[in-house]
PDB file of all heavy atoms in Angstrom:
ATOM      1  N   GLU V 221      28.672 -13.806 -17.141  1.00  0.00           N
ATOM      2  CA  GLU V 221      29.499 -12.687 -17.381  1.00  0.00           C
ATOM      3  C   GLU V 221      28.948 -11.416 -16.623  1.00  0.00           C
ATOM      4  O   GLU V 221      29.697 -10.626 -16.132  1.00  0.00           O
ATOM      5  CB  GLU V 221      29.569 -12.385 -18.881  1.00  0.00           C
ATOM      6  CG  GLU V 221      30.246 -13.433 -19.730  1.00  0.00           C
ATOM      7  CD  GLU V 221      31.728 -13.471 -19.494  1.00  0.00           C
ATOM      8  OE1 GLU V 221      32.314 -12.448 -18.986  1.00  0.00           O
ATOM      9  OE2 GLU V 221      32.380 -14.482 -19.788  1.00  0.00           O
ATOM     10  N   TYR V 222      27.656 -11.281 -16.651  1.00  0.00           N
ATOM     11  CA  TYR V 222      27.016 -10.026 -16.159  1.00  0.00           C
ATOM     12  C   TYR V 222      26.575 -10.226 -14.679  1.00  0.00           C
ATOM     13  O   TYR V 222      25.967 -11.217 -14.309  1.00  0.00           O
ATOM     14  CB  TYR V 222      25.799  -9.738 -17.029  1.00  0.00           C
ATOM     15  CG  TYR V 222      25.016  -8.517 -16.673  1.00  0.00           C
ATOM     16  CD1 TYR V 222      25.336  -7.309 -17.260  1.00  0.00           C
ATOM     17  CD2 TYR V 222      23.964  -8.574 -15.769  1.00  0.00           C
ATOM     18  CE1 TYR V 222      24.573  -6.154 -16.957  1.00  0.00           C
ATOM     19  CE2 TYR V 222      23.230  -7.416 -15.445  1.00  0.00           C
ATOM     20  CZ  TYR V 222      23.550  -6.230 -16.078  1.00  0.00           C
ATOM     21  OH  TYR V 222      22.817  -5.108 -15.764  1.00  0.00           O
ATOM     22  N   MET V 223      26.933  -9.196 -13.882  1.00  0.00           N
ATOM     23  CA  MET V 223      26.396  -9.157 -12.512  1.00  0.00           C
ATOM     24  C   MET V 223      26.022  -7.729 -12.192  1.00  0.00           C
ATOM     25  O   MET V 223      26.504  -6.733 -12.805  1.00  0.00           O
ATOM     26  CB  MET V 223      27.519  -9.608 -11.539  1.00  0.00           C
ATOM     27  CG  MET V 223      27.889 -11.096 -11.757  1.00  0.00           C
ATOM     28  SD  MET V 223      29.035 -11.714 -10.535  1.00  0.00           S
ATOM     29  CE  MET V 223      27.952 -11.955  -9.094  1.00  0.00           C
ATOM     30  N   SER V 224      25.080  -7.601 -11.210  1.00  0.00           N
ATOM     31  CA  SER V 224      24.491  -6.314 -10.960  1.00  0.00           C
ATOM     32  C   SER V 224      24.083  -6.251  -9.509  1.00  0.00           C
ATOM     33  O   SER V 224      23.713  -7.253  -8.875  1.00  0.00           O
ATOM     34  CB  SER V 224      23.296  -6.029 -11.864  1.00  0.00           C
ATOM     35  OG  SER V 224      22.759  -4.777 -11.676  1.00  0.00           O
ATOM     36  N   TRP V 225      24.039  -5.020  -8.950  1.00  0.00           N
ATOM     37  CA  TRP V 225      23.495  -4.771  -7.622  1.00  0.00           C
ATOM     38  C   TRP V 225      22.319  -3.821  -7.738  1.00  0.00           C
ATOM     39  O   TRP V 225      22.344  -2.820  -8.488  1.00  0.00           O
ATOM     40  CB  TRP V 225      24.547  -4.114  -6.725  1.00  0.00           C
ATOM     41  CG  TRP V 225      25.473  -5.090  -6.069  1.00  0.00           C
ATOM     42  CD1 TRP V 225      26.733  -5.368  -6.402  1.00  0.00           C
ATOM     43  CD2 TRP V 225      25.169  -5.890  -4.927  1.00  0.00           C
ATOM     44  NE1 TRP V 225      27.250  -6.352  -5.587  1.00  0.00           N
ATOM     45  CE2 TRP V 225      26.338  -6.661  -4.656  1.00  0.00           C
ATOM     46  CE3 TRP V 225      24.012  -6.043  -4.108  1.00  0.00           C
ATOM     47  CZ2 TRP V 225      26.370  -7.564  -3.563  1.00  0.00           C
ATOM     48  CZ3 TRP V 225      24.103  -6.919  -3.031  1.00  0.00           C
ATOM     49  CH2 TRP V 225      25.234  -7.660  -2.800  1.00  0.00           C
ATOM     50  N   TYR V 226      21.274  -4.120  -6.901  1.00  0.00           N
ATOM     51  CA  TYR V 226      20.063  -3.290  -6.821  1.00  0.00           C
ATOM     52  C   TYR V 226      19.802  -2.988  -5.357  1.00  0.00           C
ATOM     53  O   TYR V 226      20.111  -3.785  -4.491  1.00  0.00           O
ATOM     54  CB  TYR V 226      18.884  -4.013  -7.420  1.00  0.00           C
ATOM     55  CG  TYR V 226      19.022  -4.371  -8.878  1.00  0.00           C
ATOM     56  CD1 TYR V 226      19.586  -5.589  -9.265  1.00  0.00           C
ATOM     57  CD2 TYR V 226      18.536  -3.562  -9.864  1.00  0.00           C
ATOM     58  CE1 TYR V 226      19.702  -5.931 -10.587  1.00  0.00           C
ATOM     59  CE2 TYR V 226      18.654  -3.862 -11.209  1.00  0.00           C
ATOM     60  CZ  TYR V 226      19.227  -5.091 -11.626  1.00  0.00           C
ATOM     61  OH  TYR V 226      19.330  -5.393 -12.900  1.00  0.00           O
ATOM     62  N   ARG V 227      19.132  -1.895  -5.172  1.00  0.00           N
ATOM     63  CA  ARG V 227      18.522  -1.628  -3.870  1.00  0.00           C
ATOM     64  C   ARG V 227      17.014  -1.487  -4.055  1.00  0.00           C
ATOM     65  O   ARG V 227      16.562  -1.039  -5.108  1.00  0.00           O
ATOM     66  CB  ARG V 227      19.110  -0.389  -3.203  1.00  0.00           C
ATOM     67  CG  ARG V 227      18.925   0.906  -3.922  1.00  0.00           C
ATOM     68  CD  ARG V 227      19.514   2.069  -3.049  1.00  0.00           C
ATOM     69  NE  ARG V 227      18.702   2.337  -1.867  1.00  0.00           N
ATOM     70  CZ  ARG V 227      19.037   3.217  -0.909  1.00  0.00           C
ATOM     71  NH1 ARG V 227      20.156   3.880  -1.005  1.00  0.00           N
ATOM     72  NH2 ARG V 227      18.230   3.372   0.124  1.00  0.00           N
ATOM     73  N   GLN V 228      16.277  -1.889  -3.011  1.00  0.00           N
ATOM     74  CA  GLN V 228      14.852  -1.810  -3.098  1.00  0.00           C
ATOM     75  C   GLN V 228      14.332  -1.105  -1.890  1.00  0.00           C
ATOM     76  O   GLN V 228      14.563  -1.527  -0.740  1.00  0.00           O
ATOM     77  CB  GLN V 228      14.223  -3.224  -3.215  1.00  0.00           C
ATOM     78  CG  GLN V 228      12.721  -3.178  -3.477  1.00  0.00           C
ATOM     79  CD  GLN V 228      12.184  -4.509  -3.832  1.00  0.00           C
ATOM     80  OE1 GLN V 228      12.610  -5.579  -3.320  1.00  0.00           O
ATOM     81  NE2 GLN V 228      11.228  -4.552  -4.764  1.00  0.00           N
ATOM     82  N   ASP V 229      13.570  -0.085  -2.114  1.00  0.00           N
ATOM     83  CA  ASP V 229      12.989   0.743  -1.019  1.00  0.00           C
ATOM     84  C   ASP V 229      11.474   0.846  -1.289  1.00  0.00           C
ATOM     85  O   ASP V 229      11.000   0.896  -2.423  1.00  0.00           O
ATOM     86  CB  ASP V 229      13.597   2.118  -1.039  1.00  0.00           C
ATOM     87  CG  ASP V 229      15.109   2.086  -0.883  1.00  0.00           C
ATOM     88  OD1 ASP V 229      15.575   1.742   0.203  1.00  0.00           O
ATOM     89  OD2 ASP V 229      15.831   2.338  -1.879  1.00  0.00           O
ATOM     90  N   PRO V 230      10.698   0.908  -0.195  1.00  0.00           N
ATOM     91  CA  PRO V 230       9.264   0.989  -0.357  1.00  0.00           C
ATOM     92  C   PRO V 230       8.833   2.156  -1.239  1.00  0.00           C
ATOM     93  O   PRO V 230       9.291   3.281  -1.060  1.00  0.00           O
ATOM     94  CB  PRO V 230       8.796   1.204   1.113  1.00  0.00           C
ATOM     95  CG  PRO V 230       9.866   0.606   1.919  1.00  0.00           C
ATOM     96  CD  PRO V 230      11.138   0.889   1.201  1.00  0.00           C
ATOM     97  N   GLY V 231       8.011   1.847  -2.228  1.00  0.00           N
ATOM     98  CA  GLY V 231       7.497   2.877  -3.118  1.00  0.00           C
ATOM     99  C   GLY V 231       8.443   3.282  -4.209  1.00  0.00           C
ATOM    100  O   GLY V 231       8.029   4.055  -5.141  1.00  0.00           O
ATOM    101  N   LEU V 232       9.625   2.805  -4.193  1.00  0.00           N
ATOM    102  CA  LEU V 232      10.655   3.171  -5.221  1.00  0.00           C
ATOM    103  C   LEU V 232      11.044   2.008  -6.096  1.00  0.00           C
ATOM    104  O   LEU V 232      11.836   2.179  -7.039  1.00  0.00           O
ATOM    105  CB  LEU V 232      11.883   3.761  -4.567  1.00  0.00           C
ATOM    106  CG  LEU V 232      11.657   5.091  -3.835  1.00  0.00           C
ATOM    107  CD1 LEU V 232      12.918   5.546  -3.158  1.00  0.00           C
ATOM    108  CD2 LEU V 232      11.133   6.175  -4.749  1.00  0.00           C
ATOM    109  N   GLY V 233      10.599   0.822  -5.785  1.00  0.00           N
ATOM    110  CA  GLY V 233      10.901  -0.309  -6.674  1.00  0.00           C
ATOM    111  C   GLY V 233      12.377  -0.704  -6.564  1.00  0.00           C
ATOM    112  O   GLY V 233      13.082  -0.368  -5.627  1.00  0.00           O
ATOM    113  N   LEU V 234      12.840  -1.375  -7.610  1.00  0.00           N
ATOM    114  CA  LEU V 234      14.258  -1.817  -7.699  1.00  0.00           C
ATOM    115  C   LEU V 234      15.028  -0.796  -8.526  1.00  0.00           C
ATOM    116  O   LEU V 234      14.674  -0.467  -9.611  1.00  0.00           O
ATOM    117  CB  LEU V 234      14.308  -3.164  -8.396  1.00  0.00           C
ATOM    118  CG  LEU V 234      13.849  -4.357  -7.602  1.00  0.00           C
ATOM    119  CD1 LEU V 234      13.252  -5.416  -8.509  1.00  0.00           C
ATOM    120  CD2 LEU V 234      15.014  -4.920  -6.818  1.00  0.00           C
TER     121      LEU V 234
END
Side-chain angles (χ1 to χ4, degrees):
Chain V
E221 294 288 342
Y222 181 92
M223 297 186 75
S224 182
W225 276 101
Y226 299 88
R227 62 177 288 174
Q228 187 169 38
D229 303 288
L232 296 177
L234 285 150

